[in-house]
Amino acid sequence: MQTDDITLFTYLKKHAALYKLLLSDHIQVDFRYQIARAIENLFLSEYEYELEEGTLIDPKWLYIYRAHGVAGLLIRWIEEEFPTSPQYMSTQIVELMLLSTEVFHVKRERT
């Protein structure tokens, strides 16, 4: 996937006033959830991940996880007044969609 294929950030920035209003406290509709569901549906209809054979991951949960992550990123970008360019954000999305980590650690407080 090429970052030029992702036009969503340009669209959101072009219609910034509308999306700021939709994310404001004045709107009763759960717009944040609707964004995540729309992205989830887009993932299910338009994309397919290639998972390693024998993986324990159910693709359904992977799509839901990624969709809500992308929605959170979009919402934060709007809330922070579009601090970076749409092109930069498109690159971040592509990189995040391809990112995997072999290990993660639980941080523990030292007593």
Side-chain angles (χ1 to χ4, degrees):
M1 171 178 271
Q2 300 296 316
T3 58
D4 291 343
D5 295 335
I6 301 174
T7 59
L8 180 60
F9 292 100
T10 301
Y11 177 84
L12 290 172
K13 191 166 187 177
K14 182 177 178 181
H15 299 90
L18 170 64
Y19 288 97
K20 286 182 194 177
L21 176 65
L22 290 171
L23 290 171
S24 74
D25 294 333
H26 299 92
I27 301 295
Q28 296 298 318
V29 178
D30 189 355
F31 184 66
R32 296 164 193 264
Y33 178 73
Q34 290 179 9
I35 287 176
R37 286 301 302 238
I39 294 169
E40 182 183 329
N41 290 333
L42 175 72
F43 281 4
L44 290 169
S45 66
E46 301 287 328
Y47 304 115
E48 184 174 355
Y49 280 99
E50 292 183 16
L51 300 175
E52 290 183 24
E53 189 173 325
T55 185
L56 299 176
I57 298 288
D58 180 335
K60 169 188 165 184
W61 297 116
L62 175 61
Y63 286 104
I64 291 169
Y65 175 78
R66 293 270 169 104
H68 285 263
V70 169
L73 190 139
L74 291 172
I75 290 165
R76 181 60 61 91
W77 187 65
I78 294 167
E79 289 176 340
E80 291 181 355
E81 307 276 330
F82 311 93
T84 56
S85 73
Q87 296 78 18
Y88 174 83
M89 295 305 293
S90 295
T91 300
Q92 293 300 297
I93 288 292
V94 170
E95 292 297 319
L96 287 167
M97 296 302 284
L98 298 172
L99 181 71
S100 66
T101 57
E102 295 293 323
V103 177
F104 76 95
H105 301 278
V106 177
K107 295 181 181 180
R108 301 202 187 271
E109 287 187 28
R110 294 182 180 187
T111 56

